């Protein structure tokens, strides 16, 4: 992180001719267990990672906001009072949306600024670089305007920017993980109460991610479609079980089995995934608290199997890596992480064996696809902050 902050300072000076007065940093995240449960008011275990986005700001003389994406060598300008959205420099829609909704919620007079952003999260890897950008810009804009939103409020503003400026109806997982991360611990979130807790990782264990570099072009529409199916399933269960069902959080696995015949088979398959995931997350927290690393790993494999066969948000490249992981010694469990349809797998590993595990994953992937991947260890890290 220190290198990134130094780079941001240098870039800010070279673009704007002065030092940033405010620097905020927000990490990316990795989803460990609990897939597509957040918008169903369920449970997730996740972690903030040791890669993120830094956002620097200094005041401008007028109401114009000049924002530079240092890594892309692109810049945009917009009015502080009405940032609007753009179809050109799409990365700028996240900070534009965040500024718009922060202002709407806290009713301050937005000032012009000179801004710079830079990051070290691999792009399109399913590690939530967009949420990191929302949270880093949200923290920087808040400090710049002298407001102090609660973390949950900031997470909701980031989510709103994602819904309305980027068109993805995501849950709150990515923003909450970026804000509430803790070193060597998992973030455990209840997405109904929005209570956030942390669970320590067993000694000697860590995570490795391997990016397939598959970017499904329909990923946003597939995501929104899955969400809609889950909402339909919850409505169907409310008809069967009564109004106590508000979301799939209120449906147990036993209900899935008992009422299987009463649901459209296509809807059943989709709903079964988040319902099963919720139970796996609770079992996973209990396993971690008992120090049962192998049991936790098995839940990760089950989660992937459920994605592959029920939710159908995996892809052959992800499946190849998870299958390979089953036979690599030192791997406890592996699954796809995040929205799916491409991106990365995450594996829970014995840290001491990381180099051999990476080598085995590279070789399995190369023999299937004749392409080299670059697995890396990710370190559960502290959440977003002002530097
Ligand atoms: C994406 C979304 C999250 C969550 C995950 C799947 O990362 O942004 O809100 O739904 O997919 O668990």
């Amino acid at each position: 992180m220190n290198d990134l902050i130094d780079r941001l300072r240098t870039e800010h000076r070279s673009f704007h001719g002065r030092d940033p007065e405010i620097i905020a940093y927000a990490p990316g995240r990795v989803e460990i267990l609990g897939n597509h449960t957040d918008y169903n008011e369920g449970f997730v275990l996740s972690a903030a990672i040791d890669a993120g986005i830094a956002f620097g700001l200094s005041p401008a003389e007028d109401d114009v906001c000049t924002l530079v994406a240092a890594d892309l060598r692109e810049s945009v300008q917009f009015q502080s009072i009405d940032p609007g959205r753009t179809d050109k420099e799409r990365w700028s829609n996240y900070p534009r949306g965040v500024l718009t909704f922060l202002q709407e919620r806290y009713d301050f007079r937005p000032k012009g600024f000179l801004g710079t952003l830079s990051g070290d999260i691999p792009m399109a890897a399913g590690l939530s670089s967009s949420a990191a950008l929302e949270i880093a810009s949200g923290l920087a804009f808040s400090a710049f305007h002298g407001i102090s939103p609660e973390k949950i409020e900031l997470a909701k503003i980031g989510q709103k920017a994602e819904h309305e400026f980027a068109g993805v109806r995501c849950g709150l997982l990515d923003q909450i993980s970026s804000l509430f991360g803790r070193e060597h611990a998992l973030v455990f979130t209840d997405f109904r109460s929005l209570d956030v807790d942390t669970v320590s990782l067993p000694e000697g264990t860590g995570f490795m991610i391997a990016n397939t570099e598959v970017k499904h072009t329909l990923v946003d529409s597939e995501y929104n479609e899955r969400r809609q199916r889950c909402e339909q399933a919850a409505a169907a269960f409310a008809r069967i079980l009564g109004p106590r069902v508000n979301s799939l959080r209120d449906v147990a696995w036993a209900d899935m089995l008992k009422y299987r015949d009463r649901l459209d088979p296509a809807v059943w398959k989709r709903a079964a995934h988040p319902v099963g995931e919720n139970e796996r997350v609770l079992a996973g927290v209990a396993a971690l608290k008992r120090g049962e690393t192998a049991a936790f790993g098995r839940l990760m494999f089950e989660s992937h199997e459920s994605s592959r066969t029920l939710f159908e948000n995996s892809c052959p490249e992800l499946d190849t890596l998870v299958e390979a992981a089953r036979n690599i010694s030192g791997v406890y469990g592996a699954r796809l992480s995040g929205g799916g349809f491409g991106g990365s797998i995450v594996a829970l590993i014995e840290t001491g064996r990381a180099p051999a595990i990476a080598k085995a994953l590279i070789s399995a992937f190369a023999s299937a696809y004749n392409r080299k991947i670059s697995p890396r260890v990710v370190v559960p890290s502290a959440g977003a902050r002002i530097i």
Side-chain angles (χ1 to χ4, degrees), residues 29 31 34-39 44 126 128 159 162 168-175 223 313 335 337-340:
R29 68 96 189 92
E31 176 197 284
N35 188 242
H36 287 258
T37 48
D38 61 347
Y39 56 79
V44 188
S128 288
Q159 180 194 36
E162 193 92 40
V168 183
R169 290 183 63 223
C170 65
L172 276 168
L173 167 66
D174 310 340
Q175 295 79 5
Y223 184 95
N313 64 332
R335 61 188 284 278
S337 177

Side-chain angles (χ1 to χ4, degrees), residues 124-360:
L127 298 173
S128 288
S129 51
S130 59
L133 176 52
E134 289 148 23
I135 300 304
S137 57
L139 281 176
F141 293 150
S142 300
F144 189 61
H145 292 98
I147 56 165
S148 328
E150 296 283 328
K151 285 184 184 179
I152 290 289
E153 289 303 316
L154 207 53
K156 288 181 180 167
I157 284 167
Q159 180 194 36
K160 197 164 180 196
E162 193 92 40
H163 284 204
E164 295 186 25
F165 277 59
V168 183
R169 290 183 63 223
C170 65
L172 276 168
L173 167 66
D174 310 340
Q175 295 79 5
I176 284 188
S177 310
S178 178
L179 280 157
F180 287 88
R182 209 184 76 194
E183 281 168 25
H184 207 66
L186 298 183
V187 178
F188 170 51
T189 311
D190 175 337
F191 284 91
R192 171 162 280 167
S193 63
L194 295 183
D195 285 339
V196 182
D197 206 349
T198 47
V199 186
S200 297
L201 272 179
E203 276 304 307
T205 64
F207 295 103
M208 178 172 281
I209 55 158
N211 184 3
T212 60
E213 283 168 33
V214 172
K215 174 101 179 92
H216 190 314
T217 45
L218 294 176
V219 59
D220 295 352
S221 54
E222 295 272 16
Y223 184 95
N224 291 344
E225 186 270 342
R226 293 300 189 278
R227 181 169 179 159
Q228 201 186 355
R229 281 271 179 266
C230 289
E231 286 161 359
Q232 282 171 356
F237 268 107
R239 286 192 291 276
I240 299 170
L241 296 171
R244 70 165 182 85
V245 177
N246 288 309
S247 68
L248 288 179
R249 157 70 171 270
D250 302 308
V251 178
W253 184 251
D255 300 321
M256 290 306 306
L257 298 179
K258 189 164 170 196
Y259 300 107
R260 188 167 188 156
D261 294 347
R262 297 193 40 196
L263 254 75
D264 174 332
V267 174
W268 190 90
K269 261 174 97 171
R270 296 296 185 252
H273 179 59
V275 170
E277 286 290 275
N278 277 337
E279 301 198 359
R280 278 187 282 278
V281 173
L282 297 180
V285 171
L288 285 180
K289 288 190 173 157
R290 288 194 302 264
E292 294 172 0
T293 315
F296 188 85
R298 280 194 295 276
L299 293 164
M300 291 176 75
F301 281 127
E302 281 173 25
S303 165
H304 186 80
E305 203 46 22
S306 171
S307 271
R308 188 176 75 80
T309 59
L310 297 172
F311 214 57
E312 295 177 289
N313 64 332
S314 186
C315 66
E317 291 83 350
L318 289 167
D319 297 341
T320 298
L321 286 174
V322 171
E323 268 320 295
R326 285 182 191 277
N327 301 313
I328 301 174
S329 89
V331 175
Y332 294 103
R335 61 188 284 278
L336 69 82
S337 177
F341 311 104
S344 303
I345 64 144
V346 60
L348 175 64
I349 64 164
E350 213 178 302
T351 326
R353 299 205 188 195
I357 295 169
K359 218 168 134 196

